Amino acid sequence: MAEIKDPENTVILETTKGKVVIQLLPQVAPEHVARIKELAREKAYDGVVFHRVIQDFMAQTGDVEFGKKGSETFNPGRAGMGGSSKPDLKAEFSATTHTRGTCSMARSQNPNSANSQFFICFTDAPWLNKQYSVWGQVIEGMDNVDKIKRGEPVSDPDSIVSMRVAADV
């Protein structure tokens, strides 16, 4: 297991494909990191599907409104169209590059529309640099991210089993 140097700024993502450890980057995107931790602590991400997974690009998840299996609002046809009940976040674009394992917030055309959805890059994606708010980096488990079922939308998608701040486990 990867050494967790800062448990308060590390999340452990258990997926249907295995464990993924993500180092949070509060110095890069403090408000986005705070939101990820807040939703993880509320267990909002538990059961949320990877609704958009593009080969050689990224795996997207985090729609806690329509993408959470077992919830009253779960709707596979709408997964990816929702967020959380919290307000959208102001963009925190940075010079941090989108490389393999980068975790970044999804958003609409509006730069200040990130809410709960995020993606993990399978490969370097330099065209996303300074366009999306980077909040973390996978430090263990990219082999499990690589196993996530592809599709747009994904039929019978993989999901987040649990997402926890390491300091809480």
Side-chain angles (χ1 to χ4, degrees):
M1 175 142 157
E3 182 186 354
I4 296 175
K5 294 182 172 97
D6 182 0
E8 184 57 35
N9 286 303
T10 306
V11 291
I12 300 169
L13 194 65
E14 287 288 347
T15 74
T16 47
K17 295 301 186 193
K19 183 174 14 179
V20 180
V21 181
I22 301 168
Q23 180 65 56
L24 302 176
L25 303 172
Q27 70 282 12
V28 174
E31 297 303 316
H32 289 74
V33 166
R35 173 66 55 84
I36 292 291
K37 290 179 4 180
E38 179 182 21
L39 290 169
R41 286 187 160 126
E42 291 173 0
K43 300 184 169 117
Y45 288 120
D46 297 9
V48 175
V49 299
F50 286 90
H51 64 271
R52 183 172 176 245
V53 185
I54 303 171
Q55 181 68 32
D56 299 322
F57 181 29
M58 58 88 212
Q60 187 170 332
T61 185
D63 181 347
V64 301
E65 183 177 4
F66 300 121
K68 188 178 178 89
K69 291 195 295 190
S71 73
E72 290 179 15
T73 57
F74 178 60
N75 182 337
R78 296 200 65 201
M81 297 179 187
S84 74
S85 59
K86 300 173 189 320
D88 289 346
L89 295 166
K90 187 174 184 316
E92 293 179 298
F93 300 158
S94 69
T96 304
T97 57
H98 287 78
T99 58
R100 177 169 166 77
T102 295
C103 302
S104 197
M105 291 302 269
R107 62 172 179 79
S108 69
Q109 294 294 335
N110 177 349
N112 300 313
S113 62
N115 186 289
S116 65
Q117 291 189 47
F118 65 90
F119 59 91
I120 303 171
C121 293
F122 290 125
T123 59
D124 295 358
W127 62 92
L128 300 178
N129 294 346
K130 299 182 183 176
Q131 308 283 326
Y132 291 83
S133 299
V134 174
W135 57 265
Q137 179 67 41
V138 173
I139 59 171
E140 178 186 320
M142 267 311 290
D143 55 327
N144 293 323
V145 176
D146 289 337
K147 296 174 192 169
I148 294 170
K149 194 181 300 173
R150 309 301 200 258
E152 196 180 3
V154 184
S155 62
D156 188 29
D158 288 302
S159 62
I160 297 170
V161 175
S162 67
M163 184 167 172
R164 300 288 180 270
V165 177
D168 300 342
V169 293

